[in-house]
Amino acid sequence: IKVENVSKKYCKSLKRSMLYGVKDIARNTFGLNSHSDKLRKNEFWAVDDISFEVKKGETLGIIGPNGSGKTTLLKMLNGIFWPDKGKISVKGKVGALIEVGAGFHPLLTGRENIYINAAILGMTKKEVDEKFDDIVEFADIGDFLDAPVKHYSSGMFVRLGFAVAVHCEPDILLVDEVLAVGDIEFRAKCYNKIAELQNDCVVVIVSHNMSAIARISSKCMVLNKGNLIFQGAAEKAIQHYHSLFDEEKVNIYHPVGSGEAKIESMKLYSIDNKESETFKYADPLTISFDVKVSSRYKTFLISITFMNQAMQLVAQCHSDYNNIVLNNDGLSKNIRVTMQELLLTPGKYFISIIIFDETSRKYLVWHYRTKTFSVVGNFVGGADVQLRGT
């Protein structure tokens, strides 16, 4: 695959989009230039001036925030869209899984759709007959093979679509985030199949699963607002992706709760006791903050939680679970909590702090996503917490 200065534009207005389409067709019919390289009213560049090359045996991961142009780029590689500017050169048979249900007729059965979808991908009936049992076994849709696919779940669509795509022996395999709808067993089967194909074909995969991108990509590119902002090793690309979500771009919430406690001056300290927001994997992390709790409470509890960029809770440090008693006299106190080893996989994380009453039922104050920090390392783990073993 060779992509040279490729751009693709869309129109935000449906009426104008239809009008522009009619005008462009008319101009092209009479041999006139439609000026597709210029923006008109309500148009924007979904993909803007992107260039890259992927050779046989290479796997390219494409990552970026939602709306950055990843799927549009994949559709252009598959020939669904033509670029408005630039050139795309694709040599070889393409197998693509870009949208759930794409290439399937809802009224036909799974069996019939296998033949139709395979024909679209360039397979002959004889080739499909020879590989039919393997496709059905890989898809694992059971008794639904002879049922109309309109009754299929999104997961079953993906199973059937991926099974056909990988058994057409593609020279180029394009995979979008659709694998996310499959169950754990099927995803593992898909990644194993991709690993089998990697040496003999080009693989281009779009995903928000950073561990999968790091594991299977030989190189990676980061898109943001239609622009290519980084291209290189997967680990560095993932760090670049994380840097897009700095504090100015995330919603740091105001504290909630009963208002009977107050947290101030929260700081993070690294191994050399210097204030920092970037920490090496397995280095110590110290969280320091001042807390003042209403004197009506003789004791209180503290819960510190860590969330990843998907807003999933990945770790917690709770005073009660660590048998720490926090006595209260109504005066301000400085709290310092040290994790001797920060065993979070490299990435960006959010810290939330809750002050409870002694029953752990009443929220005296809750600072949600009050601080962000990054963990750096030379790997991207498959889980957020990496336990050490000997």
Side-chain angles (χ1 to χ4, degrees):
I1 298 175
K2 189 173 184 180
V3 175
E4 302 173 82
N5 307 109
V6 162
S7 299
K8 178 67 181 175
K9 63 183 178 182
Y10 291 134
C11 185
K12 297 177 183 177
S13 167
L14 177 60
K15 289 183 178 180
R16 285 190 177 275
S17 178
M18 296 173 69
L19 177 63
Y20 293 153
V22 172
K23 285 184 176 180
D24 291 344
I25 291 171
R27 293 182 70 88
N28 290 335
T29 301
F30 292 103
L32 301 175
N33 192 336
S34 61
H35 301 293
S36 62
D37 58 338
K38 296 180 181 178
L39 291 179
R40 294 167 288 194
K41 186 175 181 181
N42 292 130
E43 288 185 331
F44 66 97
W45 293 115
V47 172
D48 190 9
D49 194 27
I50 288 180
S51 300
F52 63 90
E53 186 174 0
V54 195
K55 298 178 180 178
K56 181 180 178 180
E58 293 182 334
T59 298
L60 174 67
I62 303 177
I63 59 178
N66 291 331
S68 59
K70 304 183 297 296
T71 299
T72 297
L73 179 58
L74 232 59
K75 287 181 176 180
M76 287 193 288
L77 295 179
N78 196 32
I80 298 173
F81 296 150
W82 288 100
D84 290 304
K85 289 194 297 183
K87 179 182 177 183
I88 297 176
S89 301
V90 176
K91 295 181 180 179
K93 184 192 295 184
V94 178
L97 191 62
I98 298 178
E99 289 185 355
V100 175
F104 290 96
H105 193 295
L107 299 179
L108 299 181
T109 66
R111 183 186 300 272
E112 293 165 332
N113 271 290
I114 287 175
Y115 282 91
I116 292 174
N117 204 246
I120 292 173
L121 295 176
M123 294 177 70
T124 64
K125 184 178 184 300
K126 183 181 179 181
E127 288 175 327
V128 181
D129 289 337
E130 292 173 352
K131 297 181 180 180
F132 185 83
D133 291 340
D134 293 334
I135 293 172
V136 172
E137 183 182 358
F138 191 94
D140 192 23
I141 55 175
D143 298 334
F144 290 92
L145 179 63
D146 292 306
V149 298
K150 68 178 182 179
H151 300 308
Y152 284 15
S153 67
S154 58
M156 293 169 71
F157 267 121
V158 169
R159 284 174 178 268
L160 198 58
F162 190 87
V164 175
V166 296
H167 282 89
C168 77
E169 297 183 358
D171 300 304
I172 300 164
L173 180 64
L174 309 176
V175 184
D176 202 352
E177 188 61 39
V178 289
L179 290 184
V181 304
D183 56 36
I184 295 172
E185 181 183 2
F186 183 71
R187 287 205 301 270
K189 189 190 292 187
C190 290
Y191 288 126
N192 288 340
K193 191 65 178 179
I194 290 173
E196 288 178 24
L197 296 172
Q198 278 180 309
N199 292 333
D200 299 317
C201 76
V202 169
V203 178
V204 180
I205 182 167
V206 169
S207 181
H208 289 284
N209 184 336
M210 296 302 123
S211 62
I213 288 289
R215 186 171 64 252
I216 68 177
S217 300
S218 54
K219 57 184 179 180
C220 187
M221 51 192 276
V222 184
L223 300 185
N224 187 36
K225 298 179 181 178
N227 297 298
L228 175 58
I229 60 174
F230 180 85
Q231 187 172 184
E235 288 77 9
K236 291 185 178 179
I238 291 169
Q239 291 178 15
H240 210 90
Y241 168 75
H242 288 152
S243 71
L244 297 174
F245 301 90
D246 54 32
E247 285 199 30
E248 287 72 34
K249 297 175 184 174
V250 297
N251 185 13
I252 303 299
Y253 290 83
H254 295 293
V256 296
S258 68
E260 296 171 287
K262 189 176 181 180
I263 295 174
E264 293 179 328
S265 305
M266 182 177 175
K267 296 178 180 179
L268 306 180
Y269 294 96
S270 59
I271 189 171
D272 51 5
N273 207 32
K274 290 183 179 179
E275 191 174 349
S276 178
E277 292 182 355
T278 302
F279 301 84
K280 291 182 179 179
Y281 170 76
D283 274 2
L285 163 68
T286 297
I287 303 171
S288 173
F289 56 91
D290 295 332
V291 60
K292 186 176 182 180
V293 179
S294 170
S295 58
R296 61 177 293 194
Y297 299 100
K298 300 303 179 185
T299 61
F300 60 93
L301 305 173
I302 296 177
S303 171
I304 301 173
T305 56
F306 300 82
M307 290 184 293
N308 60 18
Q309 281 189 265
M311 295 300 108
Q312 297 168 327
L313 187 65
V314 297
Q316 179 186 37
C317 180
H318 197 292
S319 61
D320 196 32
Y321 306 157
N322 286 278
N323 298 317
I324 296 173
V325 178
L326 298 167
N327 295 312
N328 181 44
D329 55 9
L331 301 177
S332 179
K333 292 180 173 59
N334 178 256
I335 304 293
R336 288 178 70 92
V337 181
T338 298
M339 290 80 175
Q340 297 298 335
E341 288 187 314
L342 187 60
L343 300 180
L344 297 177
T345 196
K348 197 124 182 174
Y349 295 90
F350 302 91
I351 294 177
S352 300
I353 299 179
I354 304 174
I355 306 298
F356 291 104
D357 69 350
E358 62 274 9
T359 67
S360 198
R361 295 175 183 171
K362 187 175 183 180
Y363 290 69
L364 305 184
V365 69
W366 182 4
H367 283 252
Y368 182 64
R369 279 168 51 176
T370 188
K371 201 80 172 175
T372 64
F373 69 95
S374 297
V375 179
V376 296
N378 57 2
F379 72 97
V380 177
D384 290 294
V385 178
Q386 300 293 319
L387 301 179
R388 288 199 165 189
T390 57

